[in-house]
C-alpha cells in the first residue's frame, strides 16, 4: 500500500546477549494507514514493545539492532537515521506513550514544566506561551482544573491522570502517529474506559493514526481497525476488516481465545494452551507455535509458514489449509 | 454450590482497618480508612470472590482475615472460633489451616532459596514430615500435584517462568493441608495462555483437597469463572453481594453496573456511558454512599448512608435505589 503512512517491511531485530545474538522480531511486515488504529496484540515476549521502540529509534543500545528490513514513514526510510535526524521525527511526527507513565515523567519537575519544555524545543514557543499551551493540552485530555494541575508534580497525580499527562505531552506537537504501548494495562477498568474513549476522540479531532499495543483482546475489540497477532517475534495473523473475532483462523489465536474467561454466564470451560511461552534462546524450529499447537504436523516443526491471504484483508502464517484451520 | 445447612467456615463481622499514615511534610498523621465495616460468610468448599478497583481494600480484607494484619474493628471467626482471641499454640495451629497465594510470583520467593526449601519450610516450622526423606517425598508429591517435575526441587526461583512460580506458590500453600486459602490476584500477573492453566489448577486443587477459597481479583471475567458468590467493593465497603449468576445476569448497584460495563468484552464494541471521575481518597471518603459523587443516579438522600437491603433473589445491596 503506497498511501500508507508507515510501511514496515521484513523488520528483523536482534539483541546481543551472553547467549549470543537472539532474534526478538523476525521478518515482521505491516502497513499503517492514515487515521487507522492498528492493534498489535500478543503475550509477553512476543516482540510488541521492541517493534515499537525500533520505529521510534529507541532500541536499547548497543545490544539491540535492526538487522534487516525497512521502516518507511511517509516514504522516508527511518532505519539507519542518526539520532540527531531521528529527533526531528520522534516526539514531533511520531510520539509514544508507555505502560507506566512514571518511567517517562521526571519526578522533580511539575507536569506543566515538562510539557512546556517539549513545546519550547519542538515548537519554538517562549516560556509563557508554552505554559499557557500546556494548560490547554491538559484541558484537552480531560484533566480537571488544568490551570492548577500544571503546577502538580507527577507523584501528586493518580495513575489515570498521569497517563493523561503523557498523552498531552505526546500530542503537544500534533504527531501523525501515536504509538501507545499498553497504555491502560496498569489502570483500573473504569479509568481504562475513560482513556480509550479519550484516545478515540483525539484521534478523530487530530487526524492521527494510532499503533496500540496490548495483550488484552477485549481492548482490541473496542478500538481496532487492523489487528496483528504476534507470537515469538512473528506475525501469526492479521485482519484488516471488521469482525476479527468472528473470523480468527490461526490455531494460536483460536487457542488463545479458549484461554480467556468471558463475562457472559454461558461460556464453556477454559482450554489452556499447554506448555510455556518459549524464550528467545529456545524458539522451536519451523512455526514458533509448533511445540504448543494441538494441530501441528511434521511440516510445522520444519519450515516457517509463509503469510498468505486467506480472504481479502485477512492473512495467516500457518501450514494448515484455510478451511482446516478453524477448530 | 454450598448447602444451606452447613455452618460457615469463615465469618467476617464488621471488619475495619484504619491505617495511620504520614501526611505531607508539615501535616499531622492521618487516618486512612482501608476497610470500613465489611461482613460476609464463606461456606465450606465455597469460592467467595472479592472484586473492585485498585485500593478498594480487597487485599487488606484478605490479610485481616488471615490475621496478617490486626483489625481496628470487627472480628473474624473460623469454624466459629474468634481468631483475635486465640493465642500461642492454638493460634499457630489455626493459622496452619489458612494460607495465602500472592499476586506477584516474582516477589513471593526468596531468590536464594531453592524450591525444596521454599516448599518444605512450612513443614519444618510445623514439624510435619519429620525426616528429610519424608519431606522430600512430600515436596515431590506437591510439585507433581501442581504439574511440575520433581527435579524442580533443586532449582532456584529465577529459573522458572511466572506461571511456574505461581504453581510453586500454590504447592507451598498446600504443604500444610489448609482448609482455607486467600488467593490474592493469583493470576493477574500471568499471560493469558498461562493464566488459564493456573485457573484450572486452582479448581483441580480445590476439588482434590476440599478447599475453601477467598478469591481476590480486579478481573470480573476471572471472578465470574471461578467464584460461587461475589462481593463488589468500593472504597472499603461491600456495596453488592450475590450469587455469581445473580450478579452477572443483572448487577443492580450503579457501581457494579459501571464496573461490568467498563470491562472490555471480546467481540463487542464499546457500549454505554463511561463512568466519570476517579475513586476518591480513602482518607476522606465521601459522606453517605461513598459512590454518590460519581453515581449517575445520585439524589439528595444519597448523602445519607444507604441501608443494606436483602432482595428476594438473596442479594445484599447498599443503595438508596432499592431501599
Ligand atoms: N500498610 C499500609 N499502610 C497504609 N495504607 C495502606 C497499607 N496497606 C494498604 N493501604 C491502603 O489501604 C487501601 C486499600 O488497599 P488494598 O491493598 O487493600 O487495596 P486493593 O483493593 O487490594 O487494591 P489493588 O487492586 O491495587 O491490589 C489503599 O488506599 C491503600 O493505599
Ligand atoms: N534489552 C534487551 N536485551 C535482550 N533481550 C531483550 C531486550 N529487550 C527485549 N528483549 C527480548 O525481546 C523479546 C521481545 O520483547 P518485547 O518486545 O519487550 O516483548 P513484548 O511483546 O512483551 O512487548 C523478549 O524475548 C525479550 O526478552
Ligand atoms: Mg511490552
Ligand atoms: Mg491488592
Amino acid at each position: 500500500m503506497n498511501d500508507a503512512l508507515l510501511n514496515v517491511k521484513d523488520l528483523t531485530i536482534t539483541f546481543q546477549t551472553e547467549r549470543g545474538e537472539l532474534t526478538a522480531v523476525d521478518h515482521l511486515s505491516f502497513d499503517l494507514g492514515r487515521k487507522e488504529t492498528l492493534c498489535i496484540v500478543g503475550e509477553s515476549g512476543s516482540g510488541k514493545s521492541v517493534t515499537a521502540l525500533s520505529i521510534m529509534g529507541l532500541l536499547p543500545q548497543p545490544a539491540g539492532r535492526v538487522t534487516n528490513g525497512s521502516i518507511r514513514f511517509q516514504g522516508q526510510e527511518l532505519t539507519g537515521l542518526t539520532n540527531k535526524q531521528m529527533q526531528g521525527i520522534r516526539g514531533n511526527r511520531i510520539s509514544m506513550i508507555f505502560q507506566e507513565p512514571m518511567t517517562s515523567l521526571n519526578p522533580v519537575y511539575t507536569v506543566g514544566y515538562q510539557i512546556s519544555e517539549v513545546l519550547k524545543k519542538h515548537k519554538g514557543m517562549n516560556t509563557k506561551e508554552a505554559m499557557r499551551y500546556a494548560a490547554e493540552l491538559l484541558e484537552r485530555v480531560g484533566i480537571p482544573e488544568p490551570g492548577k494541575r500544571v503546577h502538580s508534580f507527577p507523584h501528586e497525580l493518580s495513575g489515570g491522570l498521569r497517563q493523561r499527562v503523557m498523552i498531552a505531552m505526546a500530542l503537544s506537537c500534533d504527531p501523525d502517529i501515536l504509538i501507545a504501548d499498553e497504555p491502560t494495562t496498569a489502570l483500573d477498568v473504569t479509568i481504562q474506559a475513560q482513556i480509550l474513549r479519550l484516545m478515540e476522540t483525539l484521534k478523530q479531532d487530530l487526524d492521527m493514526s494510532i499503533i496500540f499495543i496490548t495483550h488484552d483482546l477485549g481492548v482490541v475489540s473496542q478500538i481496532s481497525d487492523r489487528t496483528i497477532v504476534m507470537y515469538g517475534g512473528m506475525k501469526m495473523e492479521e485482519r484488516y476488516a471488521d469482525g476479527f473475532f468472528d473470523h480468527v483462523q490461526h490455531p494460536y489465536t483460536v487457542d488463545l481465545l479458549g484461554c480467556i474467561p468471558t463475562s457472559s454466564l454461558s461460556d464453556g470451560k477454559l482450554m489452556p494452551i499447554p506448555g510455556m511461552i518459549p524464550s528467545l534462546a529456545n524458539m522451536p524450529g519451523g512455526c514458533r507455535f509448533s511445540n504448543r499447537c494441538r494441530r501441528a504436523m511434521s511440516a510445522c516443526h520444519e519450515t516457517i509458514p509463509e503469510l498468505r491471504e486467506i480472504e481479502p484483508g485477512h492473512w495467516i502464517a500457518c501450514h494448515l489449509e484455510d478451511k482446516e484451520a478453524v477448530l | 454450590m454450598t448447602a444451606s445447612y452447613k455452618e460457615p467456615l469463615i465469618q467476617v463481622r464488621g471488619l475495619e482497618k484504619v491505617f495511620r499514615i504520614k501526611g505531607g511534610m508539615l501535616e499531622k498523621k492521618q487516618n486512612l480508612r482501608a476497610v470500613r465495616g465489611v461482613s460476609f460468610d464463606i461456606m465450606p468448599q465455597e469460592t467467595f470472590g472479592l472484586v473492585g478497583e485498585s485500593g478498594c481494600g480487597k487485599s487488606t480484607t484478605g490479610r485481616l482475615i488471615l490475621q496478617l494484619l490486626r483489625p481496628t474493628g470487627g472480628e473474624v471467626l473460623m469454624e466459629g472460633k474468634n481468631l483475635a482471641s486465640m493465642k500461642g499454640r492454638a493460634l499457630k495451629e489455626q493459622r496452619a489451616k489458612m494460607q495465602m497465594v500472592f499476586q506477584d510470583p516474582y516477589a513471593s520467593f526468596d531468590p536464594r532459596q531453592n524450591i525444596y526449601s521454599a516448599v518444605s519450610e512450612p513443614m519444618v516450622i510445623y514439624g510435619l514430615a519429620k525426616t528429610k526423606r519424608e519431606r522430600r517425598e512430600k515436596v515431590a508429591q506437591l510439585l507433581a500435584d501442581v504439574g511440575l517435575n520433581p527435579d524442580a526441587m533443586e532449582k532456584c526461583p529465577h529459573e522458572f517462568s511466572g506461571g511456574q512460580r505461581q504453581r510453586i506458590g500454590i504447592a507451598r500453600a498446600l504443604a500444610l493441608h489448609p482448609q482455607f486459602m486467600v488467593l490474592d490476584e493469583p493470576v493477574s500477573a500471568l499471560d493469558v495462555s498461562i493464566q488459564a492453566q493456573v485457573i484450572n489448577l486452582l479448581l483441580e486443587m480445590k476439588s482434590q483437597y476440599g478447599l475453601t477459597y477467598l478469591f481476590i481479583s480486579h478481573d470480573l471475567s476471572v471472578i465470574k469463572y471461578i467464584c460461587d458468590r461475589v462481593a463488589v467493593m468500593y472504597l472499603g465497603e461491600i456495596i453488592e453481594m450475590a450469587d455469581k449468576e445473580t450478579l452477572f445476569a443483572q448487577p443492580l448497584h450503579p457501581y457494579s453496573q459501571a464496573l461490568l460495563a467498563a470491562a472490555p468484552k471480546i467481540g463487542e464494541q464499546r457500549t454505554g456511558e463511561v463512568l466519570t471521575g476517579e475513586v476518591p481518597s480513602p482518607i476522606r471518603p465521601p459522606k453517605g454512599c461513598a459512590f454518590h459523587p460519581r453515581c449517575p443516579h445520585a439524589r439528595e438522600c444519597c448523602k445519607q448512608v444507604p441501608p443494606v437491603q436483602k432482595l428476594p433473589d438473596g442479594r445484599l445491596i447498599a443503595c438508596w435505589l432499592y431501599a
Side-chain angles (χ1 to χ4, degrees):
Chain A
M1 229 197 293
N2 292 330
D3 57 345
L5 198 56
L6 187 77
N7 309 84
V8 172
K9 186 112 187 72
D10 289 327
L11 179 68
T12 301
I13 301 166
T14 65
F15 285 101
Q16 202 62 52
T17 72
E18 302 130 48
R19 298 191 180 186
E21 189 168 43
L22 300 176
T23 305
V25 172
D26 202 349
H27 288 85
L28 176 69
S29 302
F30 63 86
D31 292 333
L32 173 69
R34 284 175 199 282
K35 301 194 207 177
E36 190 170 87
T37 299
L38 164 73
C39 276
I40 303 181
V41 57
E43 295 183 274
S44 62
S46 57
K48 309 178 297 291
S49 298
V50 167
T51 300
L53 291 174
S54 73
I55 296 169
M56 297 294 288
L58 288 175
L59 281 178
Q61 292 301 324
R65 231 156 43 91
V66 172
T67 51
N68 185 64
S70 75
I71 301 170
R72 298 178 82 82
F73 170 64
Q74 294 185 324
Q76 182 190 6
E77 181 60 47
L78 299 187
T79 61
L81 287 192
T82 62
N83 198 25
K84 188 140 199 179
Q85 290 168 313
M86 223 22 235
Q87 273 170 12
I89 292 173
R90 191 192 308 141
N92 209 358
R93 316 292 305 279
I94 310 179
S95 288
M96 182 158 170
I97 57 178
F98 300 88
Q99 171 171 342
E100 186 27 78
M102 273 319 254
T103 54
S104 12
L105 288 169
N106 190 329
V108 303
Y109 297 114
T110 63
V111 297
Y113 176 82
Q114 294 184 58
I115 299 175
S116 65
E117 282 304 293
V118 177
L119 292 168
K120 277 151 77 176
K121 182 164 146 215
H122 286 294
K123 290 210 146 173
M125 293 183 180
N126 65 33
T127 305
K128 208 168 150 209
E129 286 168 341
M131 267 315 233
R132 188 166 344 107
Y133 192 56
E136 234 170 79
L137 284 167
L138 292 186
E139 178 154 36
R140 191 189 282 174
V141 297
I143 292 181
E145 304 184 281
K148 263 196 204 154
R149 284 307 185 192
V150 285
H151 303 298
S152 298
F153 289 93
H155 69 264
E156 295 171 331
L157 304 175
S158 68
L161 287 182
R162 275 184 221 143
Q163 200 55 284
R164 287 180 195 262
V165 169
M166 282 311 300
I167 294 173
M169 203 181 292
L171 296 180
S172 55
C173 298
D174 306 311
D176 300 296
I177 301 175
L178 177 65
I179 303 178
D181 189 358
E182 311 237 18
T184 59
T185 302
L187 304 177
D188 281 319
V189 281
T190 61
I191 307 300
Q192 165 169 281
Q194 295 173 1
I195 298 286
L196 293 180
R197 183 153 290 188
L198 170 69
M199 288 180 66
E200 188 63 28
T201 316
L202 292 170
K203 178 185 142 183
Q204 302 300 343
D205 294 353
L206 304 176
D207 287 347
M208 272 190 311
S209 304
I210 295 179
I211 299 179
F212 196 103
I213 293 173
T214 180
H215 66 274
D216 185 335
L217 293 165
V219 171
V220 173
S221 302
Q222 295 205 341
I223 60 168
S224 191
D225 298 319
R226 179 191 293 273
T227 307
I228 290 177
V229 180
M230 286 184 74
Y231 184 84
M234 295 191 126
K235 180 160 78 180
M236 297 282 131
E237 181 155 18
E238 173 174 355
R239 185 173 168 97
Y240 172 64
D242 287 342
F244 176 77
F245 291 97
D246 297 329
H247 295 89
V248 294
Q249 293 279 312
H250 195 287
Y252 171 62
T253 323
V254 172
D255 287 2
L256 196 61
L257 286 173
C259 289
I260 304 170
T262 67
S263 54
S264 97
L265 275 171
S266 57
D267 68 348
K269 263 195 88 62
L270 292 187
M271 295 281 289
I273 299 176
M276 295 185 290
I277 298 168
S279 69
L280 293 187
N282 297 309
M283 280 297 161
C287 170
R288 298 292 197 234
F289 186 54
S290 58
N291 63 339
R292 300 177 76 195
C293 183
R294 279 185 272 249
R295 314 196 65 207
M297 315 171 291
S298 56
C300 305
H301 300 291
E302 279 144 28
T303 52
I304 295 177
E306 295 280 327
L307 207 65
R308 65 198 160 84
E309 192 162 17
I310 52 168
E311 63 176 272
H314 194 150
W315 298 261
I316 65 171
C318 179
H319 286 307
L320 291 166
E321 288 306 319
D322 323 359
K323 300 232 159 39
E324 281 273 280
V326 214
L327 278 176
Chain B
M1 286 291 344
T2 50
S4 52
Y5 57 82
K6 284 189 207 156
E7 291 291 316
L9 179 69
I10 300 286
Q11 289 167 279
V12 177
R13 297 278 167 269
L15 201 59
E16 285 188 11
K17 181 68 188 177
V18 178
F19 289 109
R20 296 281 291 161
I21 57 159
K22 279 210 198 79
M25 231 160 5
L26 301 171
E27 290 163 52
K28 298 199 290 266
K29 281 205 167 180
Q30 290 174 310
N31 285 338
L32 186 152
R33 306 185 59 200
V35 175
R36 305 190 291 144
V38 160
S39 301
F40 55 85
D41 290 345
I42 308 179
M43 302 305 286
Q45 295 175 36
E46 185 179 40
T47 299
F48 184 80
L50 275 185
V51 68
E53 293 180 280
S54 188
C56 70
K58 308 179 293 296
S59 301
T60 304
T61 302
R63 288 164 179 275
L64 290 170
I65 293 175
L66 293 187
Q67 308 290 304
L68 298 173
L69 277 176
R70 188 175 272 294
T72 46
E75 58 192 21
V76 180
L77 311 179
M78 182 171 181
E79 301 175 298
K81 285 173 280 190
N82 189 336
L83 294 177
S85 66
M86 295 177 88
K87 285 195 195 74
R89 210 189 140 92
L91 178 63
K92 190 176 167 188
E93 270 168 23
Q94 197 66 33
R95 270 205 171 146
K97 298 182 187 169
M98 324 160 68
Q99 295 293 323
M100 184 145 181
V101 175
F102 297 93
Q103 163 167 5
D104 187 351
Y106 298 92
S108 45
F109 291 99
D110 177 344
R112 290 151 307 178
Q113 209 178 21
N114 72 13
I115 301 310
Y116 167 75
S117 351
V119 177
S120 65
E121 192 173 52
M123 296 185 213
V124 176
I125 295 174
Y126 279 89
L128 224 81
K130 296 271 179 311
T131 65
K132 181 144 190 196
R133 177 139 165 245
E134 271 180 86
R135 283 199 295 273
R136 291 191 76 83
E137 271 168 26
K138 189 82 205 307
V139 172
Q141 180 58 46
L142 286 165
L143 291 176
D145 281 350
V146 298
L148 290 174
N149 198 316
D151 66 17
M153 264 194 264
E154 317 304 335
K155 296 188 182 159
C156 283
H158 69 88
E159 296 176 67
F160 294 93
S161 68
Q164 289 174 320
R165 278 186 237 209
Q166 210 52 305
R167 287 173 192 271
I168 297 165
I170 294 166
R172 180 170 58 181
L174 290 172
L176 297 176
H177 308 291
Q179 287 173 282
F180 174 61
M181 281 182 24
V182 173
L183 308 166
D184 191 356
E185 309 257 9
V187 299
S188 303
L190 305 176
D191 276 301
V192 276
S193 73
I194 308 303
Q195 196 175 61
Q197 296 175 357
V198 175
I199 291 174
N200 280 4
L201 174 68
L202 288 169
L203 291 172
E204 275 165 38
M205 293 299 108
K206 187 185 150 177
S207 57
Q208 185 174 333
Y209 291 102
L211 296 165
T212 303
Y213 287 157
L214 174 65
F215 190 94
I216 296 173
S217 180
H218 65 277
D219 186 332
L220 286 152
S221 326
V222 171
I223 285 273
K224 190 227 66 194
Y225 189 76
I226 205 165
C227 296
D228 302 312
R229 242 161 11 104
V230 182
V232 183
M233 288 187 73
Y234 187 79
L235 262 178
E237 296 173 314
I238 292 178
I239 53 99
E240 184 166 9
M241 176 158 77
D243 284 345
K244 177 231 325 253
E245 287 79 12
T246 310
L247 182 72
F248 280 83
Q250 196 183 21
L252 289 184
H253 195 288
Y255 177 66
S256 312
Q257 291 172 346
L259 200 59
L260 255 73
K265 292 157 201 72
I266 290 171
E268 279 178 35
Q269 300 260 304
R270 188 183 24 244
T271 47
E273 281 301 297
V274 168
L275 195 60
T276 54
E278 302 199 350
V279 181
S281 158
I283 296 170
R284 271 172 239 88
K287 292 253 162 19
C289 169
F291 185 59
H292 86 261
R294 300 172 78 193
C295 182
H297 307 286
R299 296 171 288 172
E300 195 50 38
C301 62
C302 300
K303 290 179 187 158
Q304 310 295 318
V305 177
V308 178
Q309 296 286 120
K310 184 158 190 167
L311 302 190
D313 58 12
R315 97 173 77 203
L316 294 178
I317 187 164
C319 174
W320 283 109
L321 286 176
Y322 307 94

